[in-house]
Amino acid sequence: MQNKKLPVHEYIIRLFFPPRCISCDCLLPMDAQGVLCRDCEEDIPVLKNREFINPAGDSIGKIFSAFEYEKGIRKAIHNLKFNDRPGNAPALIDLALPRIKLFLFDEPHCDKSPKYDIIIPVPIHFRRKQQRGYNQSELLAKNLAKQTKIAFCPRSLTKNMHTPPQSSLGRGERLRNLKSAFRLKNPETVRGKRVLLVDDVMTTGSTLEHCARVLKEAGATQVDAFVIAIRRKAHCE
């Protein structure tokens, strides 16, 4: 990863904006090809099994994930969400895509046969988006759509209730918290389509379940999901 020469313009950019590890935020070498320092790269919690069933319901067909929500990946996602590091989104997709690509295409080595018609990010309420400056799931979905050439529909699914963060709630509270929280602007967007939902982390699956239920009720023929990371409890139950 370190022997490929960078373009001259990239070196110039890095003179003013030195590359940093997306996890621990340490400075990387000017010619670094990766997005993680050596220590963090060796500490990435890659999942052996990367296909899951949602424990929160059956509106989602399958959930795909590359990493456990621990160690360096947890820090990188935390930086994306809370430390104003939107550049972590494409970096995380670059790390995850090679590990889940076989689930997205009929032929994993051919990008011309995707299993999905559209990619939709899990939305956040506009107030939270204003506070953060962006929706991290939208950034992830946008970069995934760009690399897979699957249509990107960022504003079709919306969150019309400003609910407490899911991470602060228990399992039962999570389900009640999200009841009627999501809506679809235009059902025609998903009717008859195979949809891939994208989010950053799955904890109990309740958010994905509520989003998928809205999409299914609007006529989506298939709804699966991709998340960067899954909390340990979610895939060990």
Side-chain angles (χ1 to χ4, degrees):
M1 291 179 66
Q2 300 296 327
N3 55 6
K4 184 180 177 181
K5 292 189 68 174
L6 293 173
V8 174
H9 72 273
E10 181 67 21
Y11 273 108
I12 295 173
I13 292 173
R14 292 186 178 199
L15 283 173
F16 296 96
F17 304 99
R20 290 183 174 274
C21 173
I22 64 170
S23 177
C24 71
D25 207 39
C26 73
L27 284 172
L28 297 175
M30 284 290 290
D31 60 349
Q33 297 292 322
V35 295
L36 294 163
C37 67
R38 183 171 298 178
D39 289 342
C40 289
E41 189 171 16
E42 292 176 353
D43 206 28
I44 290 298
V46 178
L47 289 165
K48 292 182 179 179
N49 177 33
R50 296 165 196 172
E51 180 179 319
F52 306 89
I53 295 173
N54 192 3
D58 58 5
S59 296
I60 290 275
K62 297 175 182 177
I63 298 172
F64 311 117
S65 185
F67 306 107
E68 188 173 10
Y69 188 57
E70 295 289 340
K71 302 177 181 177
I73 289 296
R74 181 171 187 155
K75 293 176 185 176
I77 293 174
H78 187 275
N79 285 335
L80 169 63
K81 294 175 72 170
F82 305 114
N83 292 334
D84 194 26
R85 294 288 297 273
N88 280 17
L92 285 165
I93 291 298
D94 287 344
L95 287 174
L97 184 56
R99 295 177 167 92
I100 55 98
K101 195 172 184 179
L102 71 142
F103 302 112
L104 306 185
F105 295 90
D106 291 322
E107 299 177 32
H109 301 293
C110 177
D111 293 351
K112 296 181 180 179
S113 57
K115 294 180 180 179
Y116 302 96
D117 302 303
I118 56 176
I119 286 177
I120 294 178
V122 169
I124 58 177
H125 193 267
F126 78 91
R127 290 181 187 172
R128 186 158 290 141
K129 188 173 182 179
Q130 284 181 328
Q131 293 170 352
R132 187 170 294 161
Y134 50 85
N135 173 5
Q136 73 282 352
S137 298
E138 186 175 322
L139 296 181
L140 292 167
K142 180 180 181 180
N143 281 278
L144 182 63
K146 182 179 180 180
Q147 292 204 40
T148 58
K149 298 178 175 61
I150 301 172
F152 177 48
C153 298
R155 289 173 289 277
S156 53
L157 191 64
T158 63
K159 190 174 184 182
N160 58 350
M161 293 175 61
H162 189 45
T163 56
Q166 289 290 90
S167 58
S168 66
L169 304 174
R171 190 183 186 94
E173 291 175 308
R174 287 172 185 264
L175 295 172
R176 292 189 295 272
N177 185 44
L178 293 172
K179 189 175 182 180
S180 303
F182 301 100
R183 71 181 182 88
L184 195 62
K185 283 187 175 180
N186 183 5
E188 289 298 324
T189 305
V190 302
R191 188 166 294 142
K193 300 291 179 62
R194 301 166 299 172
V195 179
L196 183 67
L197 269 173
V198 174
D199 205 358
D200 53 348
V201 180
M202 188 188 92
T203 302
T204 65
S206 55
T207 298
L208 294 174
E209 171 63 19
H210 281 80
C211 288
R213 190 178 299 167
V214 171
L215 296 170
K216 281 290 194 69
E217 289 174 352
T221 57
Q222 177 184 350
V223 181
D224 292 339
F226 161 67
V227 296
I228 294 293
I230 290 184
R231 287 185 185 267
R232 183 170 295 173
K233 287 184 178 180
H235 69 83
C236 291
E237 289 179 345

